[in-house]
Amino acid sequence: MKKNIVLTGFMGTGKTSTGRVLAMKLGTRFIDTDKLIEKEAGTLIREIFKKLGEPHFRGLEREIVRKVSEENGVVIAVGGGAIVNPANLADLKRHGIVVSLTASPEVILSRVERNLDRPLLKVEDKLGKIKELIAVRAHFYEKSDITVDTDFKNPEQVADEILEAVRREM
């Protein structure tokens, strides 16, 4: 069985863009759990948050993570809060190497501030909210197998760094 490479990390750290590049370099499929949730729910994540709330979203996310973690040799990007659930992290680690992408709060803000699809950032002080959420989630991201800082790097550079680190892990 071939291990998956799972990308986690806070929003705006480059999980999706890096995941696409990484999958292309490896000649494998890329799975974005947020896109799968939207497809199965038939609506956008921001609408799920607005109409049904975060707990409902996390339930949908749990089911999708359970399914995709059974794949072999694919690149998976999970939402920034997915590994806060210990069951998600355990499933993802069972068949994969979990890579946490990091970036400074200021870089994250510059990457996401114009994106309307960030339900957790529907606040006045976006930078403060980013710092608060990162502080809450840092403990969970630290449980990843590999950590890669994405500040001032393009997806190609991040993908190369991940490949190098994964090869050292295996």
Side-chain angles (χ1 to χ4, degrees), residues 8-10 13 100-104 108 111 141 147-151:
T8 187
F10 198 72
T13 56
S100 178
L101 302 183
T102 63
S104 70
I108 290 169
R111 291 175 180 171
Y141 295 144
T147 300
V148 176
D149 182 355
T150 67
D151 273 359

Side-chain angles (χ1 to χ4, degrees), residues 94-161:
R94 189 172 304 115
H95 300 293
I97 296 171
V98 178
V99 180
S100 178
L101 302 183
T102 63
S104 70
E106 293 76 15
V107 167
I108 290 169
L109 180 60
S110 73
R111 291 175 180 171
V112 304
E113 65 186 335
R114 287 172 297 284
N115 186 328
L116 302 174
D117 290 335
R118 307 290 184 175
L120 293 176
L121 290 184
K122 298 275 188 229
V123 295
E124 195 65 35
D125 179 13
K126 289 177 178 34
L127 184 60
K129 186 65 172 179
I130 289 168
K131 288 177 179 178
E132 173 192 323
L133 288 169
I134 288 174
V136 168
R137 294 177 181 176
H139 167 72
F140 299 99
Y141 295 144
E142 289 167 1
K143 295 179 181 183
S144 298
D145 301 303
I146 297 166
T147 300
V148 176
D149 182 355
T150 67
D151 273 359
F152 312 111
K153 295 175 190 165
N154 65 40
E156 182 91 15
Q157 292 167 314
V158 176
D160 288 342
E161 200 171 321

Side-chain angles (χ1 to χ4, degrees), residues 64-112:
I64 293 293
V65 167
R66 184 177 314 179
K67 277 186 216 172
V68 301
S69 67
E70 296 299 321
E71 295 279 345
N72 292 313
V74 298
V75 176
I76 303 167
V78 297
I83 67 166
V84 170
N85 180 334
N88 285 343
L89 182 60
D91 282 351
L92 293 165
K93 279 189 165 226
R94 189 172 304 115
H95 300 293
I97 296 171
V98 178
V99 180
S100 178
L101 302 183
T102 63
S104 70
E106 293 76 15
V107 167
I108 290 169
L109 180 60
S110 73
R111 291 175 180 171
V112 304

